[in-house]
Amino acid sequence: MIVIGGGPVGENAAARTAAGGLRTALVEAERVGGECSYWACMPSKALLRPGHALAAAKRVPGVPVGDELDAAAVLKRRNEFTSNWDDSGQVGWAVGAGLDVVRGRGRLTGERTVEVEGRVLTARRAVVVCTGSVPRTPNLPGLADVEHWGSREATSAQEVPSSLVVLGGGVVGVEMAQAWARLGSSVTLVVSGGRPLPKFEAFAGDLVAEGLREDGVVLRTGVKATGVSSVDGKVTLSLSDGSSVSGAKLLVATGRQPATFDLGVERFGFTPGEALPVDDTGRVEGLDWLYAAGDVTGRALLTHQGKYAARAVGTAIATGAQNPQPWTASVATADHTAVPQVVFTDPEVAAVGWTEAQAREAGLDVRVVDLDIAVAGSSLHADGYRGKARMIVDESKRTLVGVTFAGPDTAELLHAATVAIVGEITVDRLWHAVPAYPTISEVWLRLLEAYGL
C-alpha cells in the first residue's frame, strides 16, 4: 500500500491498511499531520477558544474577568498545539503504527507506481491519494503583486496585526475575523452576499453577523472586490460600489480546491486542480488500484469527514471488499445526507444534513420547525442567551433530514442530531429520548412539541 499525503486523512487510511496486515508507505512532502494539525483545525480553534471563554465569563455575573485577552499567551498556547510546527511526534506515531514514512512529493507515474524525489515505489495492492486541498485564489487585479495572507498565514501569525481586512464570508473568513478582532486587531470583513455563511441556513449567518459586529468587526456586505493595491505598508481592497477598505494585512479566504496539482493525475485522464471522482469505497472512477479520500475528492471538505472516508477506504482495501453493503465499515455513505459541521465562532453554528432549500430541491415533502433556544439550560448558561434551532422533517418517513443550531456552545448538541439522521429515527421514537434538565439539550423537547408531539 502507498498513501500519498500524511495529513489526518492519509494517517487514517494508512493506519487501517497497516492494521489489516499490509505493509504501508506514507508519503508526505511537508509535515506528517497535515494542514489540520499545523495550519487549520487545531491552531484556528486555539486562537478562538480564549476569546470565547472570556465572552462566556462576561455573560455570567459574579465572575471576575478582565476586558482584554493576553495576546502573547494566546499565541504561545496556539504554538504549543501545533508543536511549534515540528512533526516529530506525528512521525513517531506513524512509525509506532507500523508505517514506513517517506519524505518528499509523491507523483503517480504508472499503475500502482509512485515516484518520490527520484525514488520509485510500487504498491502490490493499491495507492490512495489523500493530498487534501489548497486555497482557491481569486483572479483579482493586483493581488499577485501584493503580499497577503491565506489561511496558513492567518492561523500561524506570531503578532496581532493592527488592522486586518478579510475577503470572504465563509467559515475561514468569519472564524479568523472574530479570532483576530478579539485579540485586538481592527477587522473589516468583506462579504459579496447579504450575510456571511451563505451555505448555511440564513438565521445562522445573521446571528454570526451580530456576534461579529458586537466584537467590533466592520461588515461590508453585498459588495465584491475589484482590485488590490499596497501603499506605505497598507493593503487596500477596492470594492464594487466604488469604495475601498484598507488594513495592515489582507486575508483572502475565498474557498479551497482539491490539491491534485503536480500529482500526475493527468496520466489517467483527470484534470489537475479538480476533484478525483470516487465511489463510496473511495475507488477512483475507472481504476481498480487507485483510491482517494478527503478534500481531494471534493465530497465534503471537512477533516472529520475525510478521516471517516479514509477509514472506509482503508477497510475496503485491507479486506478486499467488493460491492460492500451500505452500512458496513468499508463504505462512506454519510457524505450523501448526514455531513455534520461546526463553525466555531461565538455564537457557534452547528449543522448536519440538509438545509431547507436543499431538502426542497431534492423533492422532499418537508416540514420545518423553527424555535428560539430559550430553555432553562440556556438561561443558566448565559444571561441574555441568544440562539435559534431548526429541525427539518421528511413528512413521508417522519424522520429528520436536517438540523441547525446557532448559539453559544451549540456544537455539543450536534452529535445527537447526527445520530438521529443517520439512524433514520422517527420523531415519534425521538419523543422518548428524554433530555436532561436543566440543559440546553431540552431544546429537542421543545422542537418535538412544536412539531405537534
Side-chain angles (χ1 to χ4, degrees):
M1 264 292 300
I2 301 171
V3 178
I4 306 176
V9 177
E11 288 176 328
N12 272 263
R16 282 277 166 140
T17 57
L22 301 181
R23 183 180 179 187
T24 302
L26 183 65
V27 180
E28 173 54 45
E30 292 187 282
R31 291 173 178 82
V32 175
E35 199 78 15
C36 179
S37 298
Y38 305 105
W39 299 287
C41 315
M42 297 307 292
S44 65
K45 283 30 173 196
L47 288 172
L48 284 161
R49 177 58 190 161
H52 292 4
L54 179 59
K58 288 181 176 181
R59 294 177 184 131
V60 182
V63 180
V65 294
D67 292 325
E68 298 179 355
L69 296 173
D70 181 341
V74 172
L75 296 179
K76 180 177 182 293
R77 182 172 184 264
R78 185 276 318 273
N79 292 351
E80 291 168 355
F81 269 97
T82 65
S83 300
N84 290 294
W85 291 273
D86 178 356
D87 70 351
S88 56
Q90 295 284 87
V91 172
W93 168 86
V95 172
L99 310 180
D100 294 326
V101 177
V102 180
R103 296 283 193 178
R105 182 169 298 280
R107 298 177 180 84
L108 299 166
T109 55
E111 184 173 323
R112 295 183 175 83
T113 303
V114 177
E115 181 179 324
V116 186
E117 311 297 341
R119 178 184 177 186
V120 178
L121 307 178
T122 302
R124 295 184 183 90
R125 183 72 63 88
V127 176
V128 185
V129 177
C130 302
T131 49
S133 61
V134 292
R136 188 184 299 276
T137 304
N139 184 18
L140 191 58
L143 183 61
D145 301 320
V146 173
E147 182 180 345
H148 59 276
W149 280 0
S151 55
R152 283 193 172 192
E153 290 79 11
T155 58
S156 63
Q158 296 298 318
E159 295 181 353
V160 178
S162 58
S163 53
L164 173 67
V165 176
V166 181
L167 176 61
V171 177
V172 173
V174 295
E175 287 188 349
M176 290 297 93
Q178 188 165 56
W180 288 110
R182 286 182 163 181
L183 284 166
S185 184
S186 176
V187 178
T188 301
L189 177 64
V190 178
V191 181
S192 60
R195 61 174 59 85
L197 301 178
K199 294 183 179 180
F200 293 80
E201 300 284 14
F203 70 82
D206 288 339
L207 281 173
V208 169
E210 287 180 22
L212 291 171
R213 290 190 177 101
E214 288 174 1
D215 285 326
V217 176
V218 176
L219 266 68
R220 297 295 308 275
T221 58
V223 290
K224 295 183 178 181
T226 58
V228 183
S229 60
S230 178
V231 179
D232 297 330
K234 288 278 188 178
V235 181
T236 298
L237 194 65
S238 300
L239 304 177
S240 56
D241 63 356
S243 66
S244 64
V245 291
S246 298
K249 296 290 182 181
L250 167 67
L251 165 58
V252 178
T254 51
R256 300 183 69 84
Q257 65 185 114
T260 50
F261 301 100
D262 197 22
L263 189 59
V265 296
E266 64 276 7
R267 292 175 178 269
F268 307 99
F270 303 105
T271 304
E274 294 186 2
L276 294 175
V278 297
D279 65 15
D280 288 340
T281 67
R283 191 193 305 269
V284 174
E285 187 178 279
L287 299 170
D288 64 0
W289 58 272
L290 185 62
Y291 291 74
D295 289 10
V296 76
T297 68
R299 289 174 64 139
L301 277 65
L302 297 161
T303 296
H304 48 272
Q305 289 297 126
K307 291 165 67 174
Y308 156 74
R311 293 191 292 270
V313 167
T315 301
I317 294 170
T319 62
Q322 298 293 324
N323 302 316
Q325 294 301 306
W327 295 113
T328 61
S330 52
V331 294
T333 55
D335 293 351
H336 301 303
T337 58
V339 174
Q341 182 173 7
V342 177
V343 185
F344 289 89
T345 46
D346 179 21
E348 288 178 337
V349 177
V352 60
W354 288 340
T355 63
E356 178 186 0
Q358 290 169 335
R360 295 194 188 283
E361 187 177 339
L364 299 183
D365 175 21
V366 297
R367 180 174 169 193
V368 178
V369 179
D370 286 326
L371 279 181
D372 289 335
I373 300 177
V375 293
S378 60
S379 63
L380 287 168
H381 192 77
D383 283 4
Y385 188 101
R386 296 197 311 274
K388 293 183 179 294
R390 169 168 289 182
M391 178 177 76
I392 302 171
V393 182
D394 179 351
E395 291 288 77
S396 66
K397 297 180 179 179
R398 291 176 69 83
T399 57
L400 305 188
V401 293
V403 178
T404 298
F405 301 108
D409 300 310
T410 54
E412 299 306 328
L413 299 174
L414 187 59
H415 197 58
T418 304
V419 171
I421 291 175
V422 171
E424 298 181 354
I425 303 171
T426 66
V427 290
D428 306 281
R429 187 67 179 140
L430 278 176
W431 173 251
H432 298 282
V434 182
Y437 182 89
T439 67
I440 301 176
S441 290
E442 196 182 9
V443 71
W444 279 105
L445 171 60
R446 304 303 171 211
L447 285 166
L448 292 168
E449 287 180 330
Y451 181 77
L453 294 176

